[in-house]
Amino acid sequence: MKIFGITGWKNSGKTGLMERLVAHFAAKGLRVSTLKHTHHSVDLERPGTDTHRHREAGAQEVVLASSARVSILHELRETDEPRLTDLIARLTPCDLVLVEGFKSAPHPKIEAHRASAGEALLAPKNHTIRAVASDTPLPALGLPVFDLDDTDAIAAFIEVATGMTPRSAPKLANDCFALPPGVNWTPVDEALETLESRLSPITGTEMIPVADARDRILASDHMAARANPPGANAAVDGYGFAYAGLPDGDNIKVPLVDGRAAAGTPFSGTVPMGHAIRILTGALLPDGVDTVVMQEDVQVDGSIISFPAGVKPGANARAAGEDVAAGKLALPAGHKMRAPDVALLSALGIADAEVHARLRVGVLSTGDELAEPGTTLDVARTYDANRPMLLSLAENWGYLPVDLGHVADDRDKLRQAFDDAATKADVILTSGGASAGDEDHVSALLEQTGSLHHWRIAIKPGRPLALAQWNGTPVFGLPGNPVAALITTLIFARPAFSKLAGGPWLTPQAFDLPAAFSKSKKAGRREYLRARLNKDGHAEVFKSEGSGRISGLSWATGLVELPDEALKITPGTPVRFLPYTGFGLT
Ligand code: AMP
Ligand code: MG
């Protein structure tokens, strides 16, 4: 369910706007529900009615039903304020929930504003406010400002902000894969720079719960909804006091006040100067406390504590906002969410994240010789290894793998497969048939689009990469050989896909290690060897460089990257090791 809010002061016109938006979306055939927060304690029914009597008698929930509508009354006995997420969980699934009020809940909202009402704007102090709807033009706010009566424009904004309509992403330029003319073999770095400068995000955006956001790429800057920590608190279990009130001497003695401060159960009184209070980790510092001494350093004698002099002012106390101040950037647009980032946004009160839609990576295998693994004993057939490998890589990278199957070397079937692929995927990854030979049908077909560029890259292993667009969808035509297919995918497709998905350009993690092998490398091509660390932590390489040796890919835990220049390597020569994990390959 998409959730969007309208907030604003009293008489700001928010209910009128809600009404018009509900009517607007309902007229479009959407199922819209609303949620409204109110500050005054409304009585939802008159005393003396049957249901009122049921509730008064102690029923937890009372359902009042007629043939026209059903009302569920739920008594909040111990809880003081209902939480928006709990309320939403009670709703029947629908297309859009419009929320009126709940201005400190973390869902995105528009602030309704009537200058005549004379109230100050909540935005941009409240970062969850994404736009303002005002009855008078406003000075620049850094937020979109709509005319309060322009329901169509406000509705269109809500559709984009909630991901009901993905934010339209510009298509790639038609010639985005053109290489500078005159170059015969393109060095790897130049090929990478070309891709980096030509590619841009092609995915729309949506709002999703932060708890579900691992592997997703943030589509906007996310600001702290409140500070971390929200209030000054104790970093250890111990005793708290005002530093300025400590007596002099080597062994300090201080009387304890009654009560204690614990996490979630603050001490509401003030600790007088010269007194201390029992305090536990995470407890808010009570008034009159700025310093905490660890319990391990303290002797307790009835209601007197003593500890050696030397405690520093402010020791073991965490200041409010010392980690992140409210309103400060928590994570920037383009950041890919990992488990620690889920923790950060959650700690800062951000429950929903605006993320890019997952990049749909379509994977197609081509070749007459291919068969599904295990389906034939015919030695003339090759089991399709690339498709499962590339689909699993796409998933590894947090994208949506789309299995486009296998197509024989048949131009018409291939054309159909590309037509189908362009509707199901944002980017198409093919393997096989990408060179310029008689049986290279992928190349031949892409040639007809006029957008094909054969990238003859100075890389080993690897044959030309065929880059093109099919009905506007970028196509990466990889060599069929699984070793070359994997290496070209890791080196070229990985950073390219990240950019297409709204993330940063990626450079693989690399570090220098002593070689555990010997090799004379000629100048001209960058080489990638299947490698792993031996027991001494040196880089050993697979026994064969044969490009058909798929087992070496599996034997390895990374690649050794040898520079374009000539190089003589003997055991101990430093070489660059690129671990598989640095390619997001796990
Ligand atoms: P190609 O690029 O089509 O000339 O293929 C080069 C080599 O890779 C040939 O030996 C193919 O049989 C092999 N090959 C192509 N596609 C795959 C695949 N999906 N799985 C395993 N091997 C493949
Ligand atoms: Mg082939």
Side-chain angles (χ1 to χ4, degrees):
M1 289 196 293
K2 310 292 184 190
I3 297 157
F4 201 88
I6 308 295
T7 192
W9 299 103
K10 208 167 160 14
N11 299 326
S12 59
K14 55 181 189 298
T15 308
L17 180 57
M18 283 285 289
E19 196 177 17
R20 294 193 298 280
L21 287 170
V22 171
H24 176 101
F25 288 118
K28 285 180 101 173
L30 297 183
R31 293 165 306 162
V32 188
S33 297
T34 67
L35 252 163
K36 147 103 193 154
H37 185 260
T38 182
H39 285 293
H40 27 96
S41 76
V42 276
D43 226 329
L44 299 173
E45 47 187 9
R46 272 176 296 116
T49 55
D50 296 354
T51 49
H52 188 266
R53 288 166 63 187
H54 300 180
R55 285 202 291 128
E56 287 289 293
Q60 174 183 304
E61 277 183 318
V62 175
V63 179
L64 174 62
S66 75
S67 58
R69 58 191 61 86
V70 174
S71 153
I72 303 176
L73 295 163
H74 178 107
E75 210 50 26
L76 294 178
R77 294 187 206 279
E78 264 79 54
T79 12
D80 34 1
E81 279 291 334
R83 287 191 44 181
L84 181 60
T85 41
D86 296 338
L87 298 175
I88 286 172
R90 291 171 177 275
L91 290 173
T92 308
C94 63
D95 300 306
L96 175 67
V97 182
L98 287 172
V99 178
E100 183 177 338
F102 286 97
K103 69 170 179 286
S104 43
H107 63 289
K109 29 187 117 58
I110 282 188
E111 177 174 0
H113 179 74
R114 223 178 233 143
S116 51
E119 299 274 14
L121 270 176
L122 295 162
K125 259 198 188 142
N126 177 335
H127 89 285
T128 62
I129 295 175
R130 300 292 166 79
V132 174
S134 174
D135 66 342
T136 31
L138 296 172
L141 283 172
L143 287 176
V145 176
F146 296 100
D147 179 336
L148 188 55
D149 292 324
D150 194 349
T151 312
D152 288 351
I154 297 170
F157 178 82
I158 293 174
E159 286 182 16
V160 174
T162 53
M164 289 156 75
T165 313
R167 185 196 285 170
S168 56
K171 290 253 171 209
L172 298 175
N174 203 31
D175 60 348
C176 75
F177 294 126
L179 277 176
V183 181
N184 206 356
W185 286 95
T186 307
V188 171
D189 286 340
E190 201 174 311
L192 290 174
E193 278 158 30
T194 307
L195 280 178
E196 181 179 2
S197 64
R198 303 281 174 75
L199 298 178
S200 51
I202 55 170
T203 50
T205 66
E206 57 185 334
M207 288 292 295
I208 60 164
V210 163
D212 300 337
R214 187 174 58 83
D215 279 344
R216 305 297 296 270
I217 297 170
L218 296 180
S220 55
D221 289 349
H222 282 59
M223 309 296 179
R226 74 168 187 185
N228 182 51
N233 66 84
V236 296
D237 289 342
Y239 297 87
F241 43 78
Y243 181 81
L246 289 185
D248 291 333
D250 289 344
N251 188 35
I252 295 175
K253 280 193 191 321
V254 190
L256 279 177
V257 298
D258 279 346
R260 59 166 211 169
T265 322
F267 177 75
S268 52
T270 299
V271 178
M273 283 296 256
H275 287 68
I277 185 171
R278 175 71 170 141
I279 192 165
L280 301 176
T281 308
L284 288 181
L285 298 187
D287 283 344
V289 173
D290 59 16
T291 304
V292 179
V293 58
M294 281 172 82
Q295 64 186 23
E296 290 79 354
D297 296 337
V298 173
Q299 299 271 339
V300 186
D301 182 5
S303 64
I304 306 281
I305 59 164
S306 56
F307 53 92
V311 177
K312 301 246 167 5
N316 302 315
R318 304 175 179 134
E322 70 174 22
D323 182 28
V324 184
K328 283 278 159 6
L329 180 66
L331 291 171
H335 183 83
K336 187 168 178 181
M337 294 287 292
R338 306 153 305 160
D341 305 317
V342 170
L344 176 63
L345 295 193
S346 301
L348 298 175
I350 304 169
D352 298 303
E354 187 188 15
V355 298
H356 282 276
R358 273 188 208 279
L359 186 76
R360 297 169 304 165
V361 178
V363 178
L364 181 71
S365 288
T366 71
D368 284 341
E369 76 283 22
L370 296 187
E372 289 299 307
T375 54
T376 170
L377 296 177
D378 181 354
V379 290
R381 309 297 294 278
T382 300
Y383 292 145
D384 184 353
N386 290 343
R387 190 155 48 97
M389 170 176 74
L390 298 169
L391 287 167
S392 117
L393 258 184
E395 197 175 7
N396 240 243
W397 291 335
Y399 306 135
L400 254 175
V402 180
D403 188 350
L404 300 170
H406 154 240
V407 183
D409 291 320
D410 171 319
R411 216 64 61 97
D412 287 329
K413 293 219 172 85
L414 210 48
R415 183 178 295 112
Q416 275 170 28
F418 273 116
D419 283 343
D420 176 49
T423 65
K424 289 185 183 155
D426 302 309
V427 56
I428 304 167
L429 205 48
T430 68
S431 66
S435 297
D438 295 350
E439 292 298 326
D440 288 313
H441 300 270
V442 171
S443 263
L445 194 63
L446 292 175
E447 190 78 58
Q448 296 170 9
T449 66
S451 64
L452 175 69
H453 294 277
H454 270 120
W455 284 29
R456 302 215 303 156
I457 304 172
I459 184 174
K460 183 183 170 192
R463 285 205 292 171
L465 274 186
L467 297 179
Q469 293 189 54
W470 188 270
N471 297 341
T473 303
V475 181
F476 283 66
L478 305 171
N481 177 298
V483 176
L486 178 65
I487 289 175
T488 46
T489 302
L490 296 182
I491 302 298
F492 299 105
R494 175 173 170 267
F497 288 7
S498 175
K499 200 99 194 266
L500 294 173
W505 182 258
L506 299 173
T507 312
Q509 182 193 44
F511 41 90
D512 285 349
L513 288 178
F517 62 96
S518 302
K519 178 180 165 72
S520 272
K521 182 197 168 291
K522 292 202 225 74
R525 287 205 283 177
R526 187 165 297 184
E527 286 189 26
Y528 292 91
L529 311 176
R530 284 145 278 179
R532 69 183 187 190
L533 306 190
N534 68 12
K535 64 178 181 345
D536 301 324
H538 297 188
E540 59 176 339
V541 294
F542 192 56
K543 58 182 187 252
S544 159
E545 287 182 23
S547 66
R549 301 288 194 106
I550 302 175
S551 68
L553 290 176
S554 199
W555 171 92
T557 60
L559 304 172
V560 155
E561 181 186 65
L562 301 178
D564 304 358
E565 300 77 37
L567 186 68
K568 191 156 173 49
I569 299 161
T570 51
T573 308
V575 289
R576 262 175 108 60
F577 181 71
L578 284 51
Y580 275 167
T581 50
F583 288 108
L585 208 167
T586 52

